[in-house]
């Protein structure tokens, strides 16, 4: 009888002991093969954290099987959610994704949630573990009778997990445990460090840290010493900006053999068109996180100096913030922001007024009440751009207008066969209709539609008596798997690109066009934080003190994104490795974002 009791007790403790181990390996295996990606010492770190999580939950509950099942259910949910997020955006859950839940729910019906083989197999293993946990009869209430003691023990473990996390953030831990910390590679941070160590390491970047050597008084004096140029034009044109969802030119990644040009109008503008400035922007995001592209253009600041993978709109704009909207508003412009999708996305309803927009309109409450052409499930770029023209014209009698607009037509995903577009353009040499061919052909046909919409907008303003500048650019390239066929045609794979090739996957075209005389420029290679300066100079509007500083800085470094830095000689660097050389900009941006109240009033 005694032997049976001992065996049962041993069985209970074995289940308690092995469950956290299984939880790590199962949850990580939902994403990638753990043994191929995470070295042994980082596997141990992940397992230690799983023990902490298990203890924090099980101790207060007392009944071990019930506590284990709660932990297992939560870990399974996190794992399957991570697997879908990777499927949709080639990334994993990061700490500030909690702010993006509303946005994620908005676009959830755009994607297919049919589980893949890995998800099904690992889920079945989770079920086996869940059933096995039911055989654990251990009740900690019999060992530690008073719940207050168990709660205190759980609190001690929780405190230990905080210390554990802080230690992971130290430079010595990064070196000792070889923690992968290439910040633009969020997928790699999770896949190579393990699901939990990768997530805990990212907690380090939840706030803006002061740059090395930062001094508020020194930064203020530097601002005071900046000389601002006077007005170079009395025209005060309307400025119409279209930041187009996922618009890019695949040819920056390699040759794409198609039956006809997928963006003939934009390519014609790049061919020394009159009163036009063109080039490529090096963006800080790919496949998502659109508001970071808005942030860089509107504020003139760079994501390079904000926590990696953060979302500026959700984390850092909580007060009135200098932007193109607030500056132009101070000069007498009417400022208007529009986006034909739900207002709950990316905290825009809070951020746009803080950036100085007088009016803002979204799908809910505005565009949904209009009869507008749709492409797939979204308002088409052509219909949206025509509405932009109407809204600007409506306000024309009150003075110049600054209209900033974010489109939706080209949003992922592109591989839903039930949403396949009529293919006006197609990639040559494709004999099989599969996920890859559907993705790329759908994508380039969406780009073709956008190109035609831009042509229609510019044709309208060519015939307008009102001086107008049209600014057009893509917010980011689509996720790399959209171009699987392109990589194959160029003898590459998305998973084995060189660093320089990865940098190029962040490039998108931009156009500044005017219906009156402006300086023609072509072949520009800059980052999005400098685009607003170009627009103001084209319009003959003096730069603010901060923008005067960044404009001067662009002469040394024409590209500073979160991903890539390029100097005036054309040398290219990983920004993460080059930040020490950009400290002057980092300090001025910190002052502008945190300590400065208003540099142009």
């Amino acid at each position: 009888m005694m032997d049976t009791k001992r065996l049962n007790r041993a069985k209970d403790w074995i289940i308690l002991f092995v469950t956290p181990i299984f939880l790590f390996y199962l949850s990580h295996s939902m994403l990638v093969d753990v043994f191929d990606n995470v070295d042994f010492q980082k596997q141990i770190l992940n397992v230690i954290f799983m023990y902490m999580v298990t203890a924090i939950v099980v101790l207060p509950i007392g009944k071990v099987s019930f506590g284990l099942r709660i932990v297992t259910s939560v870990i399974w949910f996190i794992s399957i959610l991570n697997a879908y997020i990777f499927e949709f955006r080639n990334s994993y859950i990061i700490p500030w994704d909690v702010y993006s839940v509303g946005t994620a729910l908005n676009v959830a019906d755009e994607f297919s949630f049919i589980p893949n083989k890995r998800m099904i197999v690992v889920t079945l293993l989770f079920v086996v573990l869940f059933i096995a946990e039911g055989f654990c009869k251990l009740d900690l209430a019999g060992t530690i009778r008073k719940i207050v003691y168990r709660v205190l023990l759980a609190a001690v473990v929780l405190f230990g997990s905080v210390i554990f996390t802080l230690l992971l953030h130290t430079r010595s831990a990064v070196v000792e445990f070889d923690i992968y910390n290439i910040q633009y590679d969020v997928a790699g941070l999770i896949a190579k460090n393990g699901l939990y160590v990768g997530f805990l390491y990212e907690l380090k970047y939840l706030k803006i840290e002061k740059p090395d050597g930062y001094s508020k008084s020194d930064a203020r004096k530097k601002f005071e010493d900046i000389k601002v140029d006077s007005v170079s034009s009395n025209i005060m044109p309307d400025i119409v900006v279209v930041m187009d969802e996922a618009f890019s030119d695949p040819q920056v990644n390699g040759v794409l053999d198609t039956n006809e040009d997928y963006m003939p109008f934009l390519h014609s503008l790049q061919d020394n068109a009159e009163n036009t400035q063109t080039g490529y922007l090096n963006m800080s995001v790919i496949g998502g996180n659109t508001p970071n592209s808005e942030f860089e253009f509107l504020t003139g600041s760079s994501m390079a100096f904000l926590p990696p993978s953060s979302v500026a709109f959700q984390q850092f704009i909580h007060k009135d913030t200098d932007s193109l909207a607030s500056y132009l508003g101070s000069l007498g412009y009417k400022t208007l922001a529009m986006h034909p999708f739900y207002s709950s996305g990316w905290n825009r309803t809070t951020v746009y007024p803080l950036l100085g927009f007088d009016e803002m309109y979204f799908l809910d409450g505005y565009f949904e009440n209009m009869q507008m052409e749709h492409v797939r499930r979204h308002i088409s770029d052509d219909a949206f751009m025509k509405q932009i023209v109407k809204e600007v014209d409506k306000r024309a009698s009150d003075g110049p207008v600054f209209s900033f607009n974010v489109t939706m037509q080209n949003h992922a995903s592109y591989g839903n066969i039930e949403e396949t577009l009529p293919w006006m353009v197609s990639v040559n040499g494709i004999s099989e209709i599969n996920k890859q061919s559907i993705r790329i052909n759908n994508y380039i046909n969406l780009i073709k539609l956008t190109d035609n919409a831009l042509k229609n907008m510019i044709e309208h303003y060519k015939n307008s008596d009102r001086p107008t500048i049209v600014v057009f650019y893509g917010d980011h390239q689509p996720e790399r798997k959209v171009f699987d066929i392109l990589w194959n045609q160029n003898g590459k794979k998305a998973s084995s690109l060189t660093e320089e090739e990865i940098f190029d996957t962040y490039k998108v075209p931009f156009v500044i066009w005017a219906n009156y005389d402006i300086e023609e420029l072509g072949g520009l290679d800059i980052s999005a934080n400098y685009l607003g300066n170009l627009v103001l100079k084209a319009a003959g509007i003096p730069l603010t003190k901060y923008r005067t500083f960044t404009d001067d800085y662009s002469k040394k470094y024409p590209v500073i994104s979160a991903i890539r830095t390029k100097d005036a000689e054309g040398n290219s660097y990983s920004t993460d490795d080059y930040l020490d050389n950009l400290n002057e900009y980092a300090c001025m941006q910190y002052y502008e974002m945190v300590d400065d109240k208003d540099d142009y009033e």
Side-chain angles (χ1 to χ4, degrees):
M1 192 67 150
M2 186 65 69
D3 288 341
T4 302
K5 283 184 177 179
R6 285 179 177 174
L7 285 172
N8 285 334
R9 195 161 185 81
K11 175 254 303 176
D12 292 341
W13 283 101
I14 288 171
I15 291 173
L16 176 58
F17 178 78
V18 302
T19 291
I21 300 173
F22 277 108
L23 285 176
F24 165 63
Y25 286 105
L26 286 179
S27 58
H28 197 89
S29 296
M30 186 79 83
L31 312 176
V32 291
D33 295 331
V34 62
F35 296 106
D36 293 340
N37 290 275
V38 187
D39 60 43
F40 184 69
Q41 60 182 354
K42 288 199 283 287
Q43 291 177 35
I44 296 298
L45 290 175
N46 280 272
V47 170
I48 289 171
F49 181 69
M50 286 312 317
Y51 274 114
M52 291 177 172
V53 171
T54 302
I56 290 166
V57 175
V58 170
L59 277 168
I61 291 172
K63 191 170 177 59
V64 172
S65 63
F66 184 54
L68 290 179
R69 284 180 160 182
I70 289 175
V71 176
T72 298
S73 300
V74 171
I75 294 299
W76 169 82
F77 179 75
I78 290 171
S79 306
I80 198 77
L81 188 59
N82 256 309
Y84 278 119
I85 288 173
F86 183 78
E87 184 73 16
F88 299 153
R89 73 180 194 197
N90 199 36
S91 182
Y92 299 110
I93 296 173
I94 46 181
W96 36 89
D97 277 344
V98 66
Y99 299 118
S100 309
V101 172
T103 303
L105 292 174
N106 284 344
V107 298
D109 61 354
E110 301 294 314
F111 301 97
S112 170
F113 286 87
I114 299 172
N116 59 34
K117 183 179 178 181
R118 179 188 290 270
M119 295 178 194
I120 294 170
V121 170
V122 176
T123 294
L124 289 174
L125 292 174
F126 265 105
V127 171
V128 172
L129 180 62
F130 188 87
I131 293 170
E133 289 163 353
F135 291 96
C136 181
K137 305 304 180 184
L138 191 61
D139 190 348
L140 296 181
T143 307
I144 309 173
R145 296 182 182 280
K146 291 189 177 182
I147 188 170
V148 66
Y149 294 151
R150 299 201 307 275
V151 170
L152 283 174
L153 275 175
V156 170
V157 178
L158 178 61
F159 179 74
S161 68
V162 172
I163 300 300
F164 177 80
T165 301
L166 293 175
L167 288 174
L168 287 177
H169 295 170
T170 62
R171 186 177 293 274
S172 58
V174 172
V175 174
E176 179 68 25
F177 298 109
D178 192 26
I179 293 175
Y180 183 76
N181 63 349
I182 304 302
Q183 293 305 313
Y184 65 78
D185 184 13
V186 176
L189 281 165
I190 301 297
K192 297 179 182 180
N193 292 323
L195 181 57
Y196 306 105
V197 168
F199 181 88
L200 294 175
Y201 185 77
E202 286 292 88
L203 289 171
K204 175 181 180 179
Y205 300 107
L206 275 173
K207 65 176 184 177
I208 308 176
E209 295 184 3
K210 285 185 181 180
D212 291 341
Y214 174 78
S215 163
K216 180 178 177 179
S217 58
D218 289 348
R220 183 191 296 116
K221 184 169 189 319
K222 193 176 187 77
F223 262 75
E224 290 170 352
D225 292 342
I226 293 173
K227 299 292 186 291
V228 176
D229 291 337
S230 58
V231 176
S232 59
S233 171
N234 295 319
I235 294 177
M236 299 288 280
D238 290 337
I239 300 174
V240 179
V241 182
V242 177
M243 189 180 82
D244 202 275
E245 171 64 34
F247 186 92
S248 71
D249 188 348
Q251 72 178 1
V252 303
N253 300 313
V255 176
L256 183 64
D257 185 16
T258 56
N259 65 329
E260 62 177 85
D261 194 345
Y262 44 82
M263 51 173 68
F265 181 68
L266 190 139
H267 286 154
S268 73
L269 293 177
Q270 291 176 330
D271 190 20
N272 301 313
E274 189 177 18
N275 301 321
T276 305
Q277 300 178 0
T278 65
Y280 287 89
L281 298 179
N282 293 261
M283 311 307 287
S284 292
V285 294
I286 183 173
N289 282 359
T290 290
N292 287 347
S293 301
E294 298 174 62
F295 167 80
E296 290 186 316
F297 170 72
L298 289 168
T299 67
S301 292
S302 175
M303 291 300 300
F305 310 116
L306 297 180
S309 305
S310 58
V311 179
F313 274 18
Q314 294 177 322
Q315 291 168 251
F316 309 121
I317 299 183
H318 307 298
K319 62 183 178 67
D320 289 341
T321 300
D322 292 344
S323 78
L324 283 175
S326 58
Y327 177 49
L328 291 172
S330 74
L331 300 178
Y333 274 76
K334 300 296 176 186
T335 57
L336 167 68
M338 297 195 297
H339 178 46
F341 206 54
Y342 296 107
S343 60
S344 55
W346 298 121
N347 204 32
R348 288 186 178 103
T349 53
T350 298
V351 169
Y352 280 166
L354 295 175
L355 293 175
F357 284 103
D358 302 323
E359 302 174 77
M360 54 184 173
Y361 297 101
F362 300 94
L363 179 64
D364 42 324
Y366 198 70
F367 293 106
E368 65 185 353
N369 299 321
M370 300 178 184
Q371 295 297 317
M372 300 179 74
E373 176 193 45
H374 281 60
V375 171
R376 302 183 302 162
R377 302 184 186 186
H378 300 301
I379 291 174
S380 74
D381 281 2
D382 189 50
F384 184 43
M385 290 188 203
K386 285 173 180 172
Q387 189 62 32
I388 293 168
V389 169
K390 290 178 183 177
E391 299 291 345
V392 172
D393 287 349
K394 204 187 297 183
R395 291 158 180 78
S397 60
D398 296 327
V401 179
F402 173 62
S403 175
F404 178 75
N405 309 277
V406 181
T407 72
M408 197 64 191
Q409 172 192 285
N410 301 336
H411 197 283
S413 80
Y414 313 102
N416 293 342
I417 193 164
E418 65 272 13
E419 291 189 344
T420 298
L421 300 170
W423 290 348
M424 302 173 286
V425 188
S426 58
V427 178
N428 291 329
I430 296 178
S431 56
E432 183 182 357
I433 300 299
N434 55 27
K435 199 85 168 176
Q436 290 182 341
S437 61
I438 290 170
R439 271 198 298 255
I440 195 164
N441 278 314
N442 273 344
Y443 179 74
I444 62 175
N445 278 276
L446 288 167
I447 296 306
K448 175 82 168 179
L449 292 173
T450 298
D451 185 69
N452 192 59
L454 176 62
K455 179 180 179 181
N456 291 340
M457 173 179 269
I458 286 181
E459 287 298 328
H460 168 83
Y461 283 117
K462 277 183 181 178
N463 300 314
S464 172
D465 296 330
R466 191 174 173 84
T468 304
I469 287 179
V470 174
V471 183
F472 176 88
Y473 66 102
D475 62 342
H476 54 69
Q477 287 198 27
E479 55 189 348
R480 292 192 190 103
K481 68 181 180 182
V482 172
F483 297 139
D484 280 345
I485 286 175
L486 180 149
W487 306 125
N488 292 339
Q489 289 184 345
N490 288 267
K492 306 173 189 175
K493 289 184 178 179
S495 59
S496 58
L497 299 176
T498 66
E499 183 177 62
E500 198 66 22
E501 288 169 339
I502 289 173
F503 290 160
D504 285 341
T505 65
Y506 288 82
K507 294 179 79 165
V508 297
F510 78 88
V511 170
I512 301 172
W513 174 91
N515 61 359
Y516 63 95
D517 287 338
I518 64 168
E519 180 185 10
E520 285 93 11
L521 296 170
L524 299 175
D525 190 21
I526 63 173
S527 44
N529 52 310
Y530 297 134
L531 181 59
N533 296 349
L534 273 182
V535 174
L536 291 173
K537 290 195 290 186
I541 297 172
L543 303 181
T544 65
K545 288 194 172 190
Y546 179 57
R547 286 185 176 276
T548 298
F549 165 77
T550 61
D551 191 54
D552 289 341
Y553 210 83
S554 71
K555 296 175 176 61
K556 293 185 291 184
Y557 294 104
V559 173
I560 302 177
S561 75
I563 310 303
R564 174 190 230 166
T565 294
K566 186 179 280 190
D567 63 26
E569 286 72 47
N571 300 306
S572 188
Y573 312 93
S574 165
T575 296
D576 193 48
D577 296 334
Y578 202 71
L579 282 174
D580 289 345
N581 300 281
L582 307 173
N583 190 253
E584 183 183 14
Y585 194 146
C587 288
M588 294 298 274
Q589 177 170 312
Y590 186 89
Y591 179 77
E592 170 75 359
M593 289 188 68
V594 178
D595 290 331
D596 185 34
K597 292 184 178 178
D598 200 323
D599 68 83
Y600 55 80
E601 281 190 356

